[in-house]
Amino acid sequence: MADRSYEQFCGLAAALDLAGERWTLLLVRELMTGSKRYTDLQDNLPGIGTSLLSSRLKRLEQHGIIAKQKLQPPAASVVYRLTDAGEELARALVPLIRWGLRHALVEEPTPAMSVRPEWSLLGITYDTSANTLAGIEATYEFRIGGASAYLRIRDGVARTVSIDEAGSVDAVVTLDPSTVAAVGAGRLSAVDAVANGRIQLEGSDAAIASLVGIFADDSAAS
Amino acid sequence: MADRSYEQFCGLAAALDLAGERWTLLLVRELMTGSKRYTDLQDNLPGIGTSLLSSRLKRLEQHGIIAKQKLQPPAASVVYRLTDAGEELARALVPLIRWGLRHALVEEPTPAMSVRPEWSLLGITYDTSANTLAGIEATYEFRIGGASAYLRIRDGVARTVSIDEAGSVDAVVTLDPSTVAAVGAGRLSAVDAVANGRIQLEGSDAAIASLVGIFADDSAAS
DNA sequence: CGGCATCCATTTTGATACTG
DNA sequence: CAGTATCAAAATGGATGCCG
């Protein structure tokens, strides 16, 4: 565990000393879509290896970025969640995520790549103003690359929920990974993608209208 | 030759595949304060080792984040600079820098730490609106921890310049590292720091007034 | 000075086996 | 499920040495 610090009096160097090692920021990203158990994290981060996951979690916990939480008796289990400092870090990552979408991500996932729909929802959950979300109460299923993620909007907040929490879905949104990349990178507006069928919407008219409104506001913002 | 990819269809994973290895983002930070030569980079990044610096530069150049630039005959030399994509990455790092200032950086540099005044100017150069800077034309010397960095404001843009480019200085700003940390982290407003003498200003009245105006706007913004 | 290649000690990682 | 323990492979750091 020898700490290899940069030893520089600089915010970036200090941030990277804490969270710049391999896998660490991806762990934070995983918790951006909700609290998760040890094995969930392992499943979503293919290649990390249990030993490294364990030491990363311990380090993040020591530095107050994540915390362990015991669940109620029925599911006598433990989940990891972001602390307030961790949430702030998560928000600081959003511009980096957007840069990656624009300049680093391939258009089409290679066969070896894992594609998780939750990752594509980070922009919406962490970068849509409460104003835009105000008055909306709906649950959406996003189908991307054969898998689904669930987004709940309520009280001006959007967050990713598990299939169990999702309950009834008001609308289903279907798109493929290349459309996610194009929209995320700003090369294609979500409104246009809906218009030309690359994003398909099915379900309640009200929920669909709300989502299109969010898309329109997001385009205007960037 | 780091070719160890995360293989995830996600903006953050893609960004970290390109620039997430050790030293890489600090290299980008170095170029945020102006183009630099190979040995300048080496000097500002103690511990990197020439071989690793070389391969990191090559990788960043291959991916279009930095570019080599030949200087004019008098100084027949080569400098590295950020490309447009690199500048965008730099701007995406600013929230991470601020997070580090708030949650990761120690109050007072340890004896082993390097302290470069340029690092403390990143917030001003990359995160002050053109509006705030409009109409200001001045050059400042910042003295922090026994060293100086020079900031030129002109045409609504603030940038760090070398001592040679600086020319005549309109005002000298003196503060210590702990004040930098406190102000950068938002625990102390720059205006208050001026008021109680933790930031000392000497020089032209107009230049000092302009700088205080920038401090006031920055506080209002965050 | 700029820019590598090389050799070697130390760390970090990746993969797998193993335990309460 | 939630980790520890272990070991091989890779990355890093430092010191040189070389060449234009």
Side-chain angles (χ1 to χ4, degrees):
Chain A
M1 296 301 127
D3 272 316
R4 193 181 260 182
S5 163
Y6 289 116
E7 297 286 358
Q8 298 183 353
F9 192 74
C10 157
L12 184 61
L16 295 175
D17 275 342
L18 247 67
E21 299 166 277
R22 190 164 164 76
W23 293 111
T24 302
L25 289 178
L26 294 187
L27 254 165
V28 173
R29 179 204 63 191
E30 281 306 306
L31 298 181
M32 288 171 76
T33 56
S35 300
K36 291 195 168 46
R37 293 175 305 175
Y38 191 89
T39 41
D40 296 332
L41 293 168
Q42 210 164 11
D43 292 346
N44 284 345
L45 297 172
I48 192 179
T50 175
S51 187
L52 195 59
L53 175 58
S54 173
S55 71
R56 289 290 188 268
L57 287 170
K58 206 168 294 180
R59 185 173 171 79
L60 284 172
E61 194 186 357
Q62 277 173 353
H63 287 91
I65 297 170
I66 67 174
K68 275 183 171 180
Q69 193 164 25
K70 287 171 202 62
L71 294 185
Q72 300 313 322
S77 180
V78 175
V79 294
Y80 294 89
R81 66 172 178 82
L82 293 176
T83 61
D84 289 347
E87 281 291 340
E88 280 188 56
L89 175 55
R91 282 192 290 276
L93 292 180
V94 173
L96 198 52
I97 295 174
R98 293 208 178 281
W99 182 88
L101 287 170
R102 278 200 304 280
H103 293 104
L105 191 62
V106 294
E107 314 274 320
E108 187 77 38
T110 63
M113 271 186 172
S114 33
V115 180
R116 313 249 179 216
E118 309 89 280
W119 299 339
S120 305
L121 301 182
L122 291 171
I124 295 179
T125 52
Y126 273 85
D127 210 22
T128 305
S129 74
N131 223 352
T132 298
L133 299 176
I136 301 177
E137 172 147 359
T139 302
Y140 300 91
E141 175 179 352
F142 283 77
R143 295 190 183 156
I144 300 169
S148 287
Y150 300 86
L151 181 76
R152 157 140 332 136
I153 301 177
R154 178 191 287 176
D155 302 326
V157 173
R159 67 187 190 93
T160 308
V161 295
S162 71
I163 184 168
D164 309 306
E165 298 170 284
S168 78
V169 166
D170 298 299
V172 177
V173 186
T174 308
L175 66 167
D176 54 30
S178 67
T179 304
V180 169
V183 172
R187 291 188 293 270
L188 171 66
S189 90
V191 173
D192 288 349
V194 170
N196 69 21
R198 290 184 61 179
I199 295 179
Q200 290 158 47
L201 300 168
E202 292 171 89
S204 127
D205 288 345
I208 290 175
S210 295
L211 195 60
V212 171
I214 292 171
F215 288 162
D217 280 15
D218 278 356
S219 307
S222 54
Chain B
M1 287 311 138
D3 239 10
R4 195 184 248 177
S5 164
Y6 289 115
E7 298 286 358
Q8 298 182 354
F9 193 73
C10 156
L12 184 62
L16 295 175
D17 275 342
L18 247 67
E21 299 167 275
R22 190 163 165 79
W23 294 111
T24 302
L25 289 177
L26 294 187
L27 256 164
V28 172
R29 178 204 63 192
E30 281 306 307
L31 299 182
M32 288 172 76
T33 56
S35 300
K36 291 198 167 48
R37 293 176 305 173
Y38 192 88
T39 40
D40 297 332
L41 293 169
Q42 211 164 9
D43 292 346
N44 284 346
L45 297 173
I48 192 178
T50 175
S51 188
L52 197 58
L53 174 58
S54 172
S55 71
R56 290 288 188 269
L57 287 170
K58 203 173 297 177
R59 185 172 172 81
L60 284 172
E61 194 187 356
Q62 277 173 352
H63 287 92
I65 297 170
I66 67 174
K68 276 183 171 180
Q69 193 164 25
K70 288 170 202 64
L71 294 185
Q72 299 313 320
S77 181
V78 174
V79 294
Y80 293 88
R81 64 171 180 82
L82 293 176
T83 61
D84 289 348
E87 281 291 340
E88 281 188 54
L89 175 55
R91 280 191 290 276
L93 292 180
V94 173
L96 197 52
I97 295 174
R98 292 206 179 283
W99 182 86
L101 287 170
R102 278 199 305 280
H103 293 103
L105 191 62
V106 295
E107 314 274 321
E108 187 77 38
T110 64
M113 271 187 171
S114 33
V115 179
R116 313 246 179 219
E118 309 90 279
W119 299 339
S120 305
L121 301 182
L122 291 171
I124 295 179
T125 53
Y126 273 85
D127 211 23
T128 305
S129 75
N131 222 352
T132 297
L133 299 176
I136 301 176
E137 172 147 359
T139 302
Y140 300 91
E141 175 179 351
F142 283 78
R143 294 190 184 155
I144 302 169
S148 287
Y150 300 86
L151 182 75
R152 155 134 343 129
I153 302 178
R154 178 191 287 176
D155 302 326
V157 174
R159 67 186 189 93
T160 308
V161 295
S162 71
I163 184 168
D164 310 305
E165 297 170 284
S168 78
V169 166
D170 298 299
V172 176
V173 187
T174 307
L175 66 167
D176 55 30
S178 67
T179 305
V180 169
V183 172
R187 291 187 291 271
L188 171 67
S189 91
V191 173
D192 289 349
V194 170
N196 69 20
R198 289 184 62 178
I199 295 178
Q200 291 159 45
L201 300 167
E202 292 172 89
S204 127
D205 287 345
I208 289 176
S210 295
L211 195 61
V212 171
I214 292 171
F215 288 162
D217 280 15
D218 278 357
S219 306
S222 54

